[in-house]
Amino acid sequence: MEKILLIEDNREILDNMTEILELANYQVLTATNGKTGVAMAIEHKPDLIVCDIIMPVLDGFGVLHLLHKNETLQHTPFIFLTAKTERNDMRKGMDLGADDYITKPFEGTELLNAIASRLRRRTELQYEPVASTTQLLQHLSAQELLETLKQHKPTNHFKKKQQVYAEGNQPQYLYYIIQGKIKISKRNEEGKELIVGLYNEGDFFGYQAMMQESAYQEDAECMEDSVLGLIPMADFELLINQHPQVMRKFVQLLARNAAEREQQLIGLAYNSLRKKVAEALLTMDKKFNDTGNEYTLHISRENLAAMAGVAKESLIRTLGDFRNESLIQLKEGDIIITDREKLATIIA
């Protein structure tokens, strides 16, 4: 029987949640303040924690902070429960590492679905002990080991627009794209998005924060339904520490990413609107078009505008100009690049 810890100072809400979860055959532990909740978590090692934010003694943010300092609890699924719906509060909770957010008032099915989803994902993320990788090191070359890690990784399925990780989260995995497309983006204080990286099938991502030993500096989100392989951080560190060739590979990836971002920033600062949109189209074509033939870009106008660093309205007008010039075709929201050479002359 899976064990759920509820931390909530409102006795009526606490009793209601307890009854719902016990009817669903969960073992339920309860605490009425954050300090007691942390102590119970350390003692009982629950499978999942649901925690209110505004509480006496220690609030929900403090609870999550303390749990992440405990090695045995830092990966326990954590769901915030609160009546506060402001974006900044939700963002702060997710940045601290919360897995989900439920706002009051809520239906019982909403609570049950959120818990079931997080427990299911926790099961999917289970992985063989690092000792198995240590044994592999004794028998395989660096390239063979890297391929073995890719083949024997746990996998996780993500929906379109689902976030893989958020800025401020601590890295836990090196991600490998088995299927799908990923965008890496940053937002300013007003919430405006700028896409700073694109990743396709066969690419690794998430390694920069690991190698810098820092939190993520960007958000990662699926541009379409995706399947990702997850290589635990401990395995990745063991691999690069034991094999300089593998370390060199990821250093080269870091250098290439830095050069691409520098070029993007120069373009955002100095290029005209037409150049920004043309460069965004050609960048995506180069990244996702494996055939070299006519290619259809399945991308929202919001994402393309975030890639080009322009307003959505300006992007739409420019795409209309490119269509009139027979550089692209627009079909049911998709973009078909019909004349790469002429597009390239715009940014030359």
Side-chain angles (χ1 to χ4, degrees), residues 5 7 29-46 49 57-58 62-63 66-67 70 72-73:
L5 171 61
I7 309 174
L29 306 170
T30 62
T32 55
N33 66 68
K35 183 178 179 181
T36 302
V38 170
M40 293 189 69
I42 293 172
E43 179 182 357
H44 297 285
K45 306 294 187 299
I49 298 170
V57 186
L58 182 69
V63 171
L66 291 177
L67 293 181
N70 188 302
T72 62
L73 294 170

Side-chain angles (χ1 to χ4, degrees), residues 296-323:
T296 301
L297 294 175
H298 304 285
I299 181 171
S300 69
R301 299 298 183 264
E302 289 81 3
N303 277 336
L304 187 55
M307 182 69 191
V310 301
K312 179 181 174 182
E313 295 76 12
S314 300
L315 170 82
I316 292 173
R317 288 197 303 270
T318 306
L319 290 179
D321 292 341
F322 287 172
R323 177 194 56 199

Side-chain angles (χ1 to χ4, degrees), residues 73-123:
L73 294 170
Q74 60 186 199
H75 300 308
T76 302
F78 192 97
I79 299 175
F80 268 133
L81 179 68
T82 181
K84 302 185 71 175
T85 57
E86 289 83 358
R87 175 181 173 84
N88 289 341
D89 295 306
M90 296 179 68
R91 178 76 176 182
K92 180 178 179 181
M94 301 307 286
D95 285 350
L96 284 172
D99 297 285
D100 209 343
Y101 220 102
I102 300 178
T103 56
K104 306 172 188 175
F106 58 89
E107 299 292 336
T109 52
E110 183 180 359
L111 175 67
L112 291 172
N113 288 339
I115 289 175
S117 173
R118 290 301 156 184
L119 289 174
R120 183 168 58 251
R121 184 171 182 183
R122 181 179 186 235
T123 301

